Structures are given as C-alpha cells and as structure tokens.
Amino acid sequence: MATDDDTARFRLTVVDQALRLFAEQGYEATSVEEIAEAAGISRRTFFRQFRSKEDVIFADHESQLAQAAEFLAAAHGDPWEAVCDAVVQVFERFTQWREIAERRYRVVRRVPALREREIVTVFRYERLFTDYLRERLPEAPDLARVQFTAAVTATHNYLLRRMVRGESDAGAANLRVELAAIPRVPGRATAEMVVAVFPRDMPPRQVADLVTRRLGNL
C-alpha cells in the first residue's frame, strides 16, 4: 500500500518531468501525453493525480500547504513564531527541490495565466497563516494578523526568488533573521503585563532594583 510519502514522491517526479518539458518545448507546445510518457505513467494515471497541465506545475504546493497546516495544528507556544517556523520549513523544502523551483520560475515567467495562478497560490499560504492566527490570537487586531502573514509570505518569496534566479545563496538561517524583524502584536497568548505601584518619592535606582528582584521571582 502506498504511503503519503510515496504519493508525494510520485507527484514530484511528474512535476519534475513536466517542468523539464515546459522549459524545453514551451508550455503550450507540451501535451499531457508527453508528460505522462516522460514520467513513465499512463494518461489515465496522470488525470487521477492532476486535473490539468496547469495543476501539475503547482502540485508540490499542495503538499507544502498540507504539511504547513499539519505543523500549525500541532504547534504550541507563541503563535507568531509558529507561523515563522512553518514558513521556514516551506523554504527548506523548496531548497531541497531547488531544481524544480528554478524550472517553475522560468516557465511561470513566460505564461501570464500561470503568473495569475501563482498569485492565487501565494494567497492560499497567507490565508492558512491568517486563519491560524485568528484562531490562536482572537484578541489581536485583525489588520495586524493580515499584515504579519502578508509580510512573512512576501519575505519568504523574495528570498526564494533571489535564490532561484541565482542572485543569492540565502538559506533558512537568513530567512529566520528577516522574519524576526517583522513586528508582532503582543497579546494575552504572547505577553503578560505586570503593574507595579511605588511611593512617589522612592529613588529610581531603588525602584529598578525592586522591580528586578520581584520579576525574577515570577
């Protein structure tokens, strides 16, 4: 019986062959039959896995989205950081499939309809992350959640595109640094507020020492 990993590898093999043919022959000039033959499968098997030539180009994103959703469902701790961790994992998998990412970039740049599909795909990541933050941080301003997920997705895509264009060797560590600079909105799930009251005439140094000692005991 085929496992999820087997299915994912099979689909990646078809994606790889399809993108190779698209890059060599052109998107419009390549038929489903040619893709199936290159991947060593039948036309019927192709359509059991993919609805169209367009779908095969972005098929690995389906796996990426599913894995990101699974990770977030099991995540604990700071929700903002969980989103960043999910984005880094997506980036790391794309770097493992760098040749596929490079081929897709070249193909998509040539076909306007595919560029539109790419925009929709990017939005699906943003929606996944935003819905997660809405569930985990209901008290946070919705605009802050949307701005955050748009920023982390855009940062990921910027570094990924520079990589596939051969303009940068930035890796996951670089992405983490950039994501850490994106503002978070403190909420009940991520921060506690401590209120302290002191006599007006207490010296500032004594206030600081007392606060430091008390916070150390929390």
Side-chain angles (χ1 to χ4, degrees):
M1 180 178 295
T3 66
D4 290 342
D5 286 343
D6 292 335
T7 301
R9 282 194 293 270
F10 164 74
R11 288 169 66 86
L12 271 177
T13 298
V14 181
V15 171
D16 185 39
Q17 293 300 324
L19 289 171
R20 180 182 62 79
L21 290 171
F22 294 154
E24 293 174 356
Q25 303 177 176
Y27 175 73
E28 297 296 342
T30 302
S31 68
V32 167
E33 286 76 13
E34 287 175 309
I35 297 170
E37 182 179 356
I41 60 175
S42 67
R43 188 175 188 275
R44 178 177 297 181
T45 299
F46 177 93
F47 281 113
R48 279 204 298 265
Q49 294 290 329
F50 313 98
R51 290 175 298 179
S52 65
K53 289 196 304 182
E54 183 176 310
D55 277 353
V56 78
I57 291 179
F58 299 99
D60 55 317
H61 281 290
E62 298 300 325
S63 174
Q64 290 275 33
L65 285 160
Q67 291 181 74
E70 183 178 357
F71 172 80
L72 291 174
H76 301 287
D78 183 357
W80 306 102
E81 294 308 315
V83 169
C84 290
D85 289 341
V87 170
V88 170
Q89 289 181 14
V90 171
F91 185 85
E92 288 176 327
R93 286 190 289 269
F94 275 132
T95 59
Q96 294 169 6
W97 312 332
R98 180 168 180 166
E99 188 171 342
I100 289 178
E102 290 172 350
R103 285 176 179 168
R104 175 168 45 225
Y105 177 81
R106 291 194 296 269
V107 170
V108 169
R109 295 283 73 75
R110 300 173 189 166
V111 184
L114 297 181
R115 291 200 295 272
E116 294 175 4
R117 172 68 178 269
E118 186 177 50
I119 292 171
V120 172
T121 301
V122 169
F123 175 71
R124 292 179 64 193
Y125 286 96
E126 291 184 24
R127 185 174 60 188
L128 171 66
F129 300 145
T130 302
D131 287 347
Y132 168 75
L133 291 177
R134 283 172 176 155
E135 179 182 349
R136 291 293 305 277
L137 295 172
E139 75 284 356
D142 197 50
L143 179 58
R145 293 186 293 241
V146 171
Q147 288 174 330
F148 180 79
T149 57
V152 298
T153 305
T155 301
H156 168 279
N157 291 344
Y158 175 80
L159 291 180
L160 181 64
R161 285 180 184 133
R162 291 201 68 201
M163 181 189 73
V164 299
R165 290 197 299 256
E167 298 172 357
S168 170
D169 289 325
N174 304 95
L175 177 58
R176 285 190 183 279
V177 170
E178 299 302 332
L179 294 178
I182 299 173
R184 281 76 161 155
V185 177
R188 289 191 296 274
T190 59
E192 292 183 358
M193 180 179 292
V194 177
V195 178
V197 180
F198 300 95
R200 183 186 298 273
D201 59 351
M202 180 175 286
R205 178 171 301 219
Q206 187 177 350
V207 171
D209 290 343
L210 184 58
V211 168
T212 299
R213 289 198 300 272
R214 291 298 176 88
L215 287 177
N217 293 326
L218 290 180

